[in-house]
Amino acid sequence: MAERIIIDTDPGQDDAVAILLALASPDEIEVLGITAVAGNVPLALTARNARIVCELAGRPDMKVFAGCDRPLRHDLVTAEHVHGKTGLDGPDLPEPTMPLQDAHGVDFIIETLRAEPAGTVTLCPLGPLTNIATAFERAPDVVSRVKRIVLMGGAYFEVGNITPAAEFNIYVDPEAAALVFGAGVPLVVLPLDVTHKALVTKPRNDAFRALGNRAGTAVAQMTDFFERFDLAKYGSDGAPLHDPCVTAYLLRPELFSGRHINVEIETVSPLTRGMTVADWWGVTDRAPNATFIGDLDADGFFSLLTERLARL
């Protein structure tokens, strides 16, 4: 039976690939809707980009909602320095023609969790956790109805990518992250520790381009664009595909390994604000609240991704 999910996202090239992978896998994943949040770029662009990606996947029927345009407590920090001014720089993709839904993304999350049987809907955040936290604050009754949350965010061994201590998605809205991590919902966290192992090397990107369809070409062009940032920063062999790790985990959890540990979010310290304090070594008595993923089978990940993109 297909896993029923809501994708909460701030596209972002890697978000786009995560969405494409989900929409290419209808037998295993049923996307109930997509909610946009401000993050990599402002909300107007993330809502636009989510619809562009749906149309690229041949799914103009998908419901896309605009959610929160700023973090809970602080000003928005964006990442145009990574993703370009549109968030999807690289390919030349047409403006979307499908409509943005009238309802607010947070209302869609709340109403969907209330309408569907308890324990049947998985939330898949690919950006800052503002929409999810706002839904939990406004409607505490829905928290217990969530099956699980599978998210991209945080870091431990790889420390930070926006500050020395913090990963971008958590840093943008650590108060939201603290609320979500403390809500008691089963959590699977795909941090930089695993996403930095999902590197788009040249042969892997050539395989996307060789598919010959619009989606494969667009993904190759996206990774061509944003790998310049990671090559300069890390000296790695290619760009890490962060967010598709969430979708791949839903499809093939056996490709991943990690530990069930306690993860707390730092919200106060100016030095480490947004840090995911992961008790990887079990040195505290704090109760585990998250499955924190540390490794993946990169070849298996890219085989899955290439095979699914070929379907679009």
Side-chain angles (χ1 to χ4, degrees):
M1 192 165 138
E3 181 143 15
R4 311 180 79 217
I5 73 171
I6 295 172
I7 297 175
D8 187 67
T9 182
D10 62 337
Q13 290 92 346
D14 57 322
D15 304 70
V17 182
I19 295 167
L20 290 172
L21 180 55
L23 295 180
S25 307
D27 291 341
E28 297 108 321
I29 295 174
E30 180 185 355
V31 182
L32 302 177
I34 297 174
T35 53
V37 67
N40 285 322
V41 287
L43 180 65
L45 287 172
T46 62
R48 163 193 177 267
N49 293 347
R51 288 177 289 149
I52 287 174
V53 175
C54 289
E55 292 185 357
L56 179 63
R59 290 294 306 275
D61 59 304
M62 182 56 58
K63 293 181 178 180
V64 177
F65 302 82
C68 297
D69 65 355
R70 60 177 62 87
L72 296 182
R73 309 279 184 265
H74 294 270
D75 292 336
L76 177 65
V77 175
T78 56
E80 287 91 348
H81 62 290
V82 179
H83 298 280
K85 64 181 181 179
T86 70
L88 285 184
D89 282 19
D92 183 14
L93 298 171
E95 289 295 317
T97 59
M98 63 187 281
L100 190 64
Q101 300 297 306
D102 291 334
H104 193 282
V106 170
D107 293 331
F108 170 73
I109 293 170
I110 292 170
E111 290 165 9
T112 301
L113 289 171
R114 284 175 173 167
E116 299 296 331
T120 64
V121 176
T122 294
L123 302 179
C124 296
L126 309 178
L129 290 164
T130 315
N131 284 342
I132 309 301
T134 303
F136 287 2
E137 278 192 323
R138 289 185 188 171
D141 60 289
V142 305
V143 174
S144 64
R145 302 183 67 83
V146 179
K147 178 181 178 181
R148 60 177 175 167
I149 297 173
V150 181
L151 68 91
M152 189 274 135
Y156 179 65
F157 294 101
E158 288 288 307
V159 292
N161 64 353
I162 188 68
T163 74
E167 179 274 331
F168 177 81
N169 286 345
I170 305 299
Y171 178 78
V172 170
D173 199 344
E175 287 79 15
L179 192 155
V180 171
F181 275 68
V185 177
L187 279 175
V188 178
V189 180
L190 285 301
L192 297 181
D193 304 297
V194 65
T195 69
H196 278 179
K197 297 171 183 175
L199 290 176
V200 187
T201 59
K202 186 179 185 302
R204 290 166 177 167
N205 214 31
D206 289 344
F208 296 152
R209 190 174 279 106
L211 294 174
N213 60 2
R214 288 181 64 229
T217 301
V219 169
Q221 291 171 336
M222 288 180 200
T223 55
D224 278 342
F225 176 82
F226 78 85
E227 78 169 359
R228 85 214 183 285
F229 175 79
D230 294 290
L231 290 173
K233 183 176 182 180
Y234 298 112
S236 56
D237 293 331
L241 279 181
H242 305 285
D243 294 330
C245 289
V246 168
T247 315
Y249 182 87
L250 298 178
L251 294 167
R252 298 285 185 273
E254 66 274 12
L255 295 175
F256 298 83
S257 61
R259 296 182 181 181
H260 190 54
I261 62 172
N262 179 269
V263 182
E264 304 289 338
I265 311 298
E266 175 57 55
T267 61
V268 178
S269 166
L271 193 62
T272 57
R273 173 176 154 78
M275 183 178 183
T276 45
V277 183
D279 188 11
W280 185 261
W281 303 114
V283 295
T284 76
D285 58 1
R286 295 193 290 266
N289 63 339
T291 299
F292 201 77
I293 303 300
D295 204 359
L296 88 162
D297 173 353
D299 289 337
F301 170 86
F302 280 98
S303 293
L304 171 66
L305 179 55
T306 305
E307 184 261 318
R308 295 304 164 93
L309 289 176
R311 300 179 178 186
L312 297 175

